[in-house]
Amino acid sequence: MSSITDEINQSVTRTILIMLAILIGTAVVIIKQLENLSWTDAIYFTIVTISTVGFGDIYPKHPLTKIVVIVLIISGITSIAIISQAIVDTLIKNRLQKLEELPSKPLELKNHVVVAGYSSIGKLLVKLLKQRGFEVVVVDIREQRFREATISNKNTIKGDISSVILLSLLSLEQSAGIFLTMDNDNLVIKTTVVLKNLYPNLPIIAEVDSLEVFNIRDVIELDYAVSVQNAIKRILDVDLFHPPIQLLSPGVEEVDKEGKYKFFMVPDKFIMEDVFSDYLELGRLSLRTRSFYPSSSDSFDIRSNRKVIAIPVEDVIKNRALLVPKNEELAHEKIILAGFPEYLVELIDSYDFDKQDILVLSNSEIDFKNAEDHRYRAIRWDISQSKEITKQYVTDNSLIVLTWGNIADSLVLISTAHKEKSNTHIIQLADLDEEIEPYIHSGATTVILHKHLIAGRLLQSFIAHHQLASSVIFSNGHLFEIDVVTNDQYEGKSIEGLEKEGLQILSLIRNGKSIDFYKKFRLKVEDVALVFIAD
């Protein structure tokens, strides 16, 4: 948009300069003849007049000369103002570009994706988008994150994403979308408003921290807002209700629009043949670490107690009610919420549980206030009294959801609950990769890494918007579907070539049938490949 504006401004300035030159030349000739001046005096008088200096040593005598002088003065004032403004605009733009290290012209990209904010979530998102074949542009104003992003991303810009000048350089009118992962809700609001005014059709997908911003997403015209609340719900559904089969791919409501297959998780003993004759078993899933193990993999986790399967979309549509059952009966006697942040308050309220089944465990006054406002029972946590608290309030069939920021408190509660009540189901939300193993070894049933949770949901929103094939994020890699089309990056590529790029082919479907393949085997148009890329 700005590049078009710049071209128009340059064209207008050139036109004014040409017209001004013609005017000056014509005026010099007329004034020389009417006032009987030398060429030098005529040029001198014309320049002095048009610049509105007016020394008075030469003045017009002929009536027609006075008319010419009037035209020159008006034209001079107007032309000088326009040209001066153009020069100032250029100087300011060049100065800003130098300060923010902006490109000198718009990026020559099409169907690319912009990720604004190279946080841990933004970093993971960039990797996932590249794996799906998108060219990615990273924008971050922070020096450290900018430098980190430049190591693995050729298109990296340092600057303020809400700046109109910066936005004009991103070729957003030809972009597939923009992700806002800046860890700053105010900046998300500001940037969204600016973007929607400049590029109303651009898909905007943002990570938001506060429920206030999530709830006003329609007001600011934010296309997709992802918070911990809506990201964690699908995982909680599994642990709260233990459905026999769980959708891993995004949006059942979009199931007839996305790809050829949907990915599901089923218990080890679930017999799919009783329901489907046509499905593909791809591997196993560890609920503890959310890690995926392909069927062909040598590595295996004894805790991998779920199968991951792929079912054709046509079968999913026919059996929608069976594959996505309603959550009705709670699978636990009691739900213990170790920490009760605002996002969890709304999420628990949405389930319409009996409040007698909920217990809040915390030492935060904010958590106690949230519990009191919503009429949930709250008990004060004391790490020195962990055994007594566990014996008194935790049952064998309890579900504990931990969102505490203090790792010491979490580890003590997990360890104590696991030892005292071995059948207790414990979910821990973790912020860092290095926290996973301590939580697992302490006895957590499931550890959910925050960045995987949010990045996965952001990507799935993007996929749903563009009606792309399925994609599922695990803690150890990325499972997705490739639909080969004419002249895409996969047509004619060998299995060996894909493996060198890190893609493990789990299943290859040709003409609707799963077929055997070998390393020299090449993909054809309309082939469907189900692939996994390990971290």
Side-chain angles (χ1 to χ4, degrees), residues 47-60:
I47 298 299
V48 166
T49 302
I50 205 167
S51 64
T52 68
V53 175
F55 291 117
D57 50 343
I58 301 176
Y59 54 90

Side-chain angles (χ1 to χ4, degrees), residues 12-49:
V12 170
T13 303
R14 281 196 299 269
T15 302
I16 290 172
L17 288 172
I18 292 170
M19 292 177 65
L20 190 60
I22 294 172
L23 179 63
I24 291 172
T26 304
V28 167
V29 173
I30 294 173
I31 290 170
K32 179 182 184 301
Q33 296 298 325
L34 293 175
E35 299 294 332
N36 195 26
L37 298 175
S38 66
W39 284 108
T40 303
D41 286 344
I43 293 171
Y44 165 76
F45 176 74
T46 302
I47 298 299
V48 166
T49 302

Side-chain angles (χ1 to χ4, degrees), residues 121 207 226-228 231 450-459:
I121 292 169
E207 172 207 2
V226 174
S227 68
V228 177
H450 180 264
K451 67 178 181 180
H452 286 132
L453 189 70
I454 302 298
R457 191 69 178 177
L458 288 167
L459 180 64

Side-chain angles (χ1 to χ4, degrees), residues 5 33 39 54 106 170 177 358 362 453 485 512 514 519:
T5 305
Q33 296 298 325
W39 284 108
L170 299 178
I358 311 293
S362 180
L453 189 70
V485 297
S514 179
K519 287 188 178 295

Side-chain angles (χ1 to χ4, degrees), residues 213-245:
V213 177
F214 183 81
N215 292 331
I216 65 166
R217 60 193 182 279
D218 293 334
V219 176
I220 62 175
E221 298 184 87
L222 177 57
D223 297 295
Y224 301 94
V226 174
S227 68
V228 177
Q229 175 190 341
N230 66 348
I232 200 174
K233 187 178 187 304
R234 183 173 294 164
I235 294 173
L236 272 184
D237 283 345
V238 177
D239 292 300
L240 288 169
F241 303 102
H242 294 183
I245 183 167

